[in-house]
Amino acid sequence: MMKRLALILSFVFLSISLNAQIIIPEGVMSRKKDMLLINGTAVNRDQLAVIIQDIDGQDYTVLWNRAENLITKSKNLYRWGAGVGIFGLGAEITGLLLSGQLILLGSIAGMGSEDVEFSDSYQNTTMGAIYLALAGHVAVRVGVVILITSAVIRASGRGKMDSIVEKYNQSTGYLSFGPTNNGIGLSYRF
């Protein structure tokens, strides 16, 4: 009974240790949007962590994390910019249509009217609609500026990623012993 238990425990520990190994694919690295590929195969987060911590003896983890943070910030800015721009466009269109209708109706209804209260109320409502259109116009412009800023930040983050990919692909060869695609053995990367 004890032998069986010891045998089962040894198989469990052996399978856990084998499962914990990270196999690093070899080949040319490329980037597709925010995803890394080696020879067309996607690199997962664990493989990425191992790869970027030693490229020609330098650790690029901090630079990669900054690039990812820039891309995340750019996505959030894009959402804000699109939201502000769409809200502004709706406000601008609503204000223009409302002020146009009010001016048209006011001029028709106000012909020959000498009622001062109608005139003040009409003017206040019309000016409110014009202010709504102007505020919408400003919001559209602010949204466009935020979208442009988002695009610049995203390009910066992707540029940092591209520089790491380039350094990886230009790194000098090295000899290593460990798991390979075909088992365990020596591998030389050049």
Side-chain angles (χ1 to χ4, degrees), residues 27-159:
V28 177
M29 183 184 288
S30 61
R31 185 184 59 79
K32 184 177 183 182
K33 293 192 178 182
D34 303 334
M35 182 174 54
L36 279 182
L37 307 166
I38 294 183
N39 287 340
T41 304
V43 175
N44 65 34
R45 296 295 297 174
D46 294 331
Q47 292 171 328
L48 173 67
V50 171
I51 290 170
I52 64 174
Q53 72 183 355
D54 184 22
I55 299 175
D56 276 347
Q58 293 185 1
D59 187 0
Y60 287 96
T61 305
V62 172
L63 184 62
W64 186 267
N65 290 339
R66 284 183 192 154
E68 283 183 333
N69 286 339
L70 285 174
I71 290 173
T72 301
K73 287 177 184 177
S74 75
K75 288 177 182 177
N76 291 335
L77 274 176
Y78 179 82
R79 289 184 193 110
W80 274 99
V84 168
I86 290 170
F87 174 77
L89 186 63
E92 185 176 11
I93 290 171
T94 302
L96 287 173
L97 290 175
L98 187 59
S99 64
Q101 286 178 347
L102 286 170
I103 290 171
L104 180 65
L105 292 175
S107 64
I108 292 172
M111 290 182 189
S113 174
E114 296 181 18
D115 186 8
V116 174
E117 288 181 25
F118 171 77
S119 179
D120 288 342
S121 173
Y122 162 75
Q123 287 177 355
N124 289 339
T125 306
T126 304
M127 287 308 292
I130 291 172
Y131 290 146
L132 178 65
L134 288 174
H137 184 76
V138 169
V140 167
R141 299 311 179 258
V142 168
V144 168
V145 168
I146 292 172
L147 288 174
I148 291 170
T149 304
S150 166
V152 169
I153 291 173
R154 182 171 291 190
S156 174
R158 287 185 174 169

Side-chain angles (χ1 to χ4, degrees), residues 168-188:
Y168 175 84
N169 288 332
Q170 293 176 353
S171 64
T172 58
Y174 64 89
L175 185 65
S176 66
F177 177 77
T180 65
N181 292 339
N182 298 323
I184 297 175
L186 287 174
S187 66
Y188 180 72

